[in-house]
Amino acid sequence: DFSSTDLLTDRGESLGTEDQRALVDLITEQLEFANVIILNKIDRLDAQGRRTAHALVRALNPTARIVESNWGQVSLKDILDTELFDFEKAQAAPGWARELRGEHTPETEAYGINSFVYRARRPFHPQRLMALFKRDWPGVIRSKGFFRLATRMNWVGELSQAGGMLQHKAAGFWWAASPPEDQARARRHIRDWDPQFGDRRQEIVIIGIDLNERQLRRRLDACLLTDTEMRRGANTWQQLPDPFPVWRLEQET
């Protein structure tokens, strides 16, 4: 199921006609938010299979307690009255959120888990980025973050990929696109405000198992505007081919 591209509607599990969530998104969100995770049917896996299952869970949630079981047989003390749940900690638990905050979890490396944060100030060329979105990302099991397109200077793009499903949408607007008085307030809280771009940037967490970080960085760098394209200026960028759908904020749809 983690490699599935099915929507919840395909499985008859949606909340209604407007619920267009992907199955893997629901699975991932549950794994990232949990404080106890049960790996059932563990007897069906060999040693490598167990290692992979643990690696997948640890990549998504480095702090959860993992309980192995067969036939759903779990000690009640492992799941009842554990006093482990803390809402604020649960919100901060996802592996991608920890990486974004610079809280790398070295213990995950024992499972072959690699992670890094891709950062850049230059905008992406929309056509090259869309082509990358449509290709396989070898070894990657989770990526999440924000990006900027050269053709949409004011918009914040959001990337969320889990398993076999990659999604992108509008997340709002950059502070650098806001009125001067709002920008002034924002700059007091943004340490890395850029003189040219403000808070506009690429910031994407990538987590995988035995992934090739150097190769992935090269592929993302190739999607950025070149020196020649940068010199042409923002007015010219608006003419670049842009295959992304029209962006609207969720409350507008």
Side-chain angles (χ1 to χ4, degrees):
D1 283 341
F2 194 76
S3 300
S4 171
T5 58
D6 287 355
L7 300 179
L8 290 179
T9 53
D10 299 325
R11 302 290 186 94
E13 299 290 342
S14 70
L15 298 177
T17 57
E18 296 183 359
D19 186 358
Q20 294 300 306
R21 290 177 298 167
L23 174 65
V24 68
D25 284 338
L26 180 61
I27 293 172
T28 300
E29 289 170 3
Q30 290 176 336
L31 284 171
E32 290 177 333
F33 198 69
N35 55 290
V36 177
I37 297 172
I38 299 171
L39 292 180
N40 193 35
K41 301 183 180 180
I42 203 72
D43 58 315
R44 297 190 181 187
L45 300 178
D46 57 17
Q48 180 57 42
R50 289 190 180 195
R51 178 179 180 274
T52 300
H54 277 269
L56 177 61
V57 172
R58 279 285 170 251
L60 298 174
N61 189 331
T63 62
R65 176 188 292 175
I66 298 178
V67 179
E68 294 187 351
S69 73
N70 299 318
W71 296 95
Q73 296 177 1
V74 180
S75 173
L76 291 181
K77 66 180 178 60
D78 287 330
I79 56 176
L80 297 180
D81 297 324
T82 63
E83 298 184 359
L84 292 175
F85 185 75
D86 181 296
F87 186 77
E88 291 185 1
K89 289 183 179 180
Q91 286 183 308
W96 67 265
R98 289 173 173 268
E99 291 293 333
L100 199 57
R101 294 194 301 269
E103 300 173 9
H104 181 66
T105 310
E107 310 89 78
T108 60
E109 295 173 2
Y111 296 99
I113 298 169
N114 311 78
S115 58
F116 66 94
V117 182
Y118 178 82
R119 292 185 173 95
R121 285 290 182 178
R122 292 190 181 198
F124 281 129
H125 187 295
Q127 190 173 56
R128 294 199 291 267
L129 184 63
M130 179 61 82
L132 178 60
F133 282 175
K134 292 181 177 179
R135 294 170 60 189
D136 289 336
W137 292 30
V140 177
I141 59 175
R142 183 73 163 126
S143 61
K144 193 171 179 68
F146 303 103
F147 64 93
R148 58 177 300 216
L149 297 177
T151 49
R152 310 184 189 197
M153 289 290 289
N154 294 338
W155 286 93
V156 180
E158 179 182 345
L159 165 68
S160 181
Q161 177 261 331
M165 179 71 74
L166 185 151
Q167 297 177 313
H168 48 82
K169 63 179 181 179
F173 301 98
W174 300 108
W175 281 110
S178 63
E181 60 272 19
D182 293 333
Q183 285 190 41
R185 286 196 295 270
R187 292 179 68 168
R188 291 197 290 268
H189 303 285
I190 299 175
R191 291 176 298 175
D192 57 347
W193 187 275
D194 185 84
Q196 181 180 3
F197 298 122
D199 61 328
R200 297 183 179 98
R201 65 195 183 280
Q202 323 293 358
E203 194 167 53
I204 303 170
V205 178
I206 298 177
I207 302 173
I209 300 176
D210 299 324
L211 60 80
N212 189 326
E213 177 181 342
R214 181 178 298 180
Q215 181 186 72
L216 284 167
R217 286 188 180 277
R218 283 201 303 263
R219 292 171 67 179
L220 286 162
D221 285 343
C223 296
L224 298 173
L225 293 189
T226 64
D227 290 343
T228 300
E229 290 167 336
M230 289 293 293
R231 286 194 293 269
R232 289 172 182 164
N235 289 335
T236 303
W237 301 345
Q238 304 306 309
Q239 309 306 316
L240 294 172
D242 185 343
F244 281 78
V246 174
W247 278 352
R248 295 185 178 90
L249 297 182
E250 289 188 357
Q251 58 265 32
E252 295 177 349
T253 60

